[in-house]
Amino acid sequence: MTDPATLSATIVDGYVDEPAHFGVPPYISTYPRFTAGALVDAGVPESNVTYHTIDELRDDRAKWADVADADLLIYVGGMTVPGKYVGGTPAEPDEVRELAWVAEGTTVMGGPIRFGVGEENAGGQDMQRKNLDYDFVAKGDVEAAVYDLVDSGLEGFGNRMRDNAELDRWAAKGAFVVEQHPNHPEHLICEMETSRGCAYRCSFCTEPLYGNPAFRTADSVVKEVENLYNRGARHFRLGRQADILAFGGDGEAPNPDALRRLYGGIREVAPDLGTLHLDNMNPITITRWPEKSREAIRIIAEHNTPGDTAAFGLESADPVVQEENNLNVSAEECFEAVKIVNEVAGWRPGDDPADAPTFGDGAANRLPKLLPGINLLHGLIGEREETFDHNKRFLQRVYDEGLMVRRINIRQVMAFDGTEMSGTGASIANDHKQLFKKYKREIREEIDRPMLRRVTPAGTVLPNVHLEYHQDGRTFGRQLGTYPLLVGIPGERELGRTIDVAVVDHGYRSVTGIPYPLDFNDASMDELSSIPGIGKSTAGDIVVNRPYESHDELDLDANILKYVQ
């Protein structure tokens, strides 16, 4: 019998991406935190728990000793939606298997990887369940499996789901593990669970495999935030739920009072937080309960930080695809939900909320408080050529009606056992790959760029952009938050620091920015000439005539001077 007090455990985070859960850096998901809390609750000292990301192990082979020498290796990871990532690279199946081979102790694997893996982390694939040579695979909650495994002296466990009392303890006790994340504390955002499971049963989605919605209390979430805050965390996203509006209710109808306790409580225990964002919001909730939803959205916009995004799972605007896949919202209903979020939360700090949505001349130079994001999924049952036209018309209507969406997420299905899509698999997605590529390019050119200009017009200030990498003589960075904008800055600046940036130009899904406020006595030619209204000739004149005691000496119009004020 292994004594928990002497047991050493290593948690390896291979990252997760689920319909209602994200954990690729700069995010840390709930899985490693809850698992660490379960270990401590079972009697393992905090000092005996080691946490590594898969990227750490790639970068430093010496850290593999923590994998080899641990009495218990816990791998958490799994991708059930495809994506492209900047802050980290999710573990591939071969890497997950290598961890099991290197480990000399007991090995257990858990998280959404239990639903299946493909040949790579990408869309348009059939996913299969595999044990990848681990001693144990947690087919229930990995944190419950780890608690029971330690309690049994590493002999085994029954696959089960944790209950709310356990979750309350483990969420609070596992906060310490964030201190071991390589991004801690400045560049780390904690994914927070408010509920899991879903009241609806869309054909492709793994979230219903967690059952009907099960909600935490506001006090439980607030206590976890407080513990994380006390461990140095300053950035939080309420992302682990199918629908934030349903929090504290019956799983479908909004509960504004519960959201007021949740958001108000977080602000009280984390007074100097840097980010408070969310992820999923069900548009059908908004259209079925419009007044309660308006109140709930108003509460969120009162407490959140700017640039927040509520992901709407439209998935398809084609009524045939909607019916074949049990999608719960029509294009018309989703449009109405987009409109309501714009009207309630599409204002910018410094603007009057009553004027929402605010954009164009006279709008404040900050991001809106909360906008919808549209998810579109391809390769679903019943998809046809007309499906792509339906989607394009929907997006064009949103733009033409003067509304804003923060981002449009277009992806192809991953088919998992246990979902209705498992029978069809990835065949439709594969058949339509060329059509999909053409359509995606058209969306980027015809919708994304003009929408981005509306949401972030030239002069918009993005505070605290974290500089992440260099490419083609430019520095790229992002703010912390939900679906942050990728910002390209002329020149190669020191990485790992944060600067305020003003937007000067727009790509399809990214922007060009310059440091804000810009010092005309120090600015480079590339920075000066990128400002709208300043060409290379004027930029050259500015450089030649430096220094300036005041920008009033520049004799430039107000649209240019806004970048230096």
Side-chain angles (χ1 to χ4, degrees):
M1 180 82 175
T2 303
D3 182 358
T6 64
L7 185 144
S8 63
T10 295
I11 301 169
V12 175
D13 189 350
Y15 313 142
V16 303
D17 192 351
E18 300 183 80
H21 200 173
F22 191 53
V24 181
Y27 284 82
I28 181 170
S29 74
T30 67
Y31 290 111
R33 304 189 332 249
F34 293 175
T35 300
L39 286 166
V40 172
D41 198 39
V44 180
E46 284 185 15
S47 58
N48 286 13
V49 179
T50 300
Y51 167 85
H52 289 311
T53 67
I54 189 65
D55 281 312
E56 282 184 272
L57 297 180
R58 291 179 183 127
D59 294 340
D60 186 354
R61 291 297 300 188
K63 292 182 177 180
W64 282 78
D66 294 327
V67 174
D69 298 341
D71 297 316
L72 177 61
L73 170 71
I74 305 131
Y75 173 80
V76 294
M79 321 299 287
T80 62
V81 293
K84 293 183 179 180
Y85 313 101
V86 175
T89 303
E92 295 288 354
D94 286 346
E95 292 178 305
V96 181
R97 187 180 283 110
E98 184 182 3
L99 291 166
W101 292 345
V102 169
E104 296 175 5
T106 302
T107 59
V108 59
M109 176 175 71
I113 196 169
R114 69 186 175 91
F115 296 130
V117 296
E119 295 302 315
E120 59 178 340
N121 296 319
Q125 286 197 87
D126 297 318
M127 314 300 280
Q128 297 179 344
R129 291 188 171 99
K130 300 175 183 177
N131 68 9
L132 298 177
D133 298 331
Y134 280 71
D135 296 326
F136 299 102
V137 177
K139 297 176 182 176
D141 283 323
V142 63
E143 55 268 35
V146 166
Y147 179 89
D148 294 346
L149 190 60
V150 172
D151 193 54
S152 73
L154 303 185
E155 294 298 321
F157 56 84
N159 290 302
R160 68 178 181 89
M161 310 300 276
R162 35 92 167 153
D163 60 37
N164 282 339
E166 289 174 320
L167 175 58
D168 290 348
R169 297 198 308 272
W170 299 344
K173 290 184 176 184
F176 74 94
V177 85
V178 300
E179 295 181 330
Q180 299 184 43
H181 196 287
N183 287 28
H184 180 272
E186 290 88 0
H187 193 51
L188 184 66
I189 183 165
C190 298
E191 185 84 321
M192 306 301 301
E193 177 179 322
T194 69
S195 70
R196 63 176 182 179
C198 187
Y200 304 98
R201 295 293 183 271
C202 301
S203 68
F204 61 91
C205 189
T206 56
E207 190 61 22
L209 301 180
Y210 289 103
N212 290 324
F215 294 97
R216 298 174 69 180
T217 65
D219 287 344
S220 174
V221 179
V222 169
K223 180 63 176 177
E224 184 186 2
V225 169
E226 183 177 23
N227 283 19
L228 290 165
Y229 187 83
N230 290 339
R231 295 283 186 165
R234 292 294 181 269
H235 307 279
F236 306 92
R237 185 176 85 152
L238 305 175
R240 181 56 177 117
Q241 72 273 316
D243 182 9
I244 187 65
L245 294 181
F247 175 75
D250 60 4
E252 297 183 48
N255 186 337
D257 289 339
L259 284 170
R260 188 176 287 107
R261 290 194 299 273
L262 175 65
Y263 273 85
I266 290 172
R267 280 294 193 171
E268 185 174 339
V269 300
D272 294 321
L273 62 76
T275 306
L276 181 55
H277 280 185
L278 62 90
D279 191 6
N280 295 300
M281 184 181 289
N282 200 330
I284 197 64
T285 304
I286 299 173
T287 55
R288 287 181 178 170
W289 295 278
E291 293 311 311
K292 280 190 174 182
S293 294
R294 283 179 181 271
E295 183 181 357
I297 294 165
R298 191 174 296 111
I299 290 166
I300 292 170
E302 177 187 344
H303 291 90
N304 72 349
T305 54
D308 202 357
T309 306
F312 280 5
L314 172 61
E315 314 306 352
S316 179
D318 183 347
V320 171
V321 176
Q322 290 166 2
E323 183 175 356
E324 290 286 335
N325 295 274
N326 301 316
L327 305 184
N328 63 61
V329 63
S330 68
E332 187 61 37
E333 290 167 328
C334 189
F335 177 84
E336 183 61 26
V338 168
K339 185 178 179 183
I340 287 174
V341 173
N342 269 259
E343 291 173 348
V344 178
W347 52 276
R348 303 163 194 261
D351 290 336
D352 186 341
D355 294 335
T358 57
F359 58 87
D361 294 339
N365 65 344
R366 292 294 190 272
L367 289 173
K369 288 301 294 290
L370 175 68
L371 293 178
I374 302 296
N375 293 341
L376 296 171
L377 185 60
H378 288 272
L380 295 174
I381 301 166
E383 182 175 281
R384 55 207 175 123
E385 190 169 347
E386 292 93 325
T387 302
F388 298 87
D389 294 329
H390 279 286
N391 289 350
K392 287 174 62 179
R393 284 196 298 271
F394 170 81
L395 296 173
Q396 191 65 56
R397 181 188 178 195
V398 169
Y399 182 80
D400 291 345
E401 292 287 336
L403 302 174
M404 294 184 287
V405 295
R406 167 56 197 86
R407 66 101 181 98
I408 301 163
N409 192 3
I410 305 171
R411 64 195 196 280
Q412 289 184 299
V413 72
M414 299 171 82
F416 287 88
D417 289 343
T419 69
E420 291 183 29
M421 278 301 302
S422 62
T424 302
S427 60
I428 296 174
N430 290 327
D431 289 344
H432 292 171
K433 272 194 181 296
Q434 293 307 311
L435 186 59
F436 175 78
K437 289 179 180 179
K438 177 177 179 290
Y439 146 90
K440 190 172 181 178
R441 184 176 63 252
E442 290 172 349
I443 295 296
R444 299 299 180 230
E445 294 172 352
E446 299 170 16
I447 305 294
D448 271 320
R449 179 173 279 175
M451 182 64 77
L452 195 53
R453 289 189 180 118
R454 178 177 291 172
V455 175
T456 60
T460 300
V461 176
L462 306 176
N464 301 316
V465 173
H466 184 86
L467 305 182
E468 296 180 279
Y469 65 94
H470 297 139
Q471 183 177 313
D472 300 329
R474 295 198 293 171
T475 304
F476 288 86
R478 297 174 301 169
Q479 295 174 296
L480 281 177
T482 296
Y483 310 107
L485 276 168
L486 183 63
V487 184
I489 304 164
E492 294 193 352
R493 293 179 167 268
E494 180 185 351
L495 301 181
R497 53 189 292 257
T498 61
I499 64 171
D500 295 348
V501 169
V503 174
V504 294
D505 200 4
H506 304 81
Y508 298 138
R509 288 164 64 81
S510 62
V511 297
T512 299
I514 56 174
Y516 179 85
L518 191 67
D519 182 352
F520 273 28
N521 285 321
D522 186 54
S524 69
M525 277 284 294
D526 285 341
E527 290 169 345
L528 290 168
S529 59
S530 67
I531 297 176
I534 295 183
K536 287 190 178 296
S537 177
T538 303
D541 291 341
I542 292 173
V543 170
V544 168
N545 293 315
R546 292 194 295 208
Y548 304 95
E549 293 185 7
S550 167
H551 59 254
D552 292 335
E553 299 177 40
L554 294 167
D555 193 27
L556 299 171
D557 66 39
N559 284 330
I560 295 174
L561 289 176
K562 67 184 177 184
Y563 293 98
V564 301
Q565 293 173 342

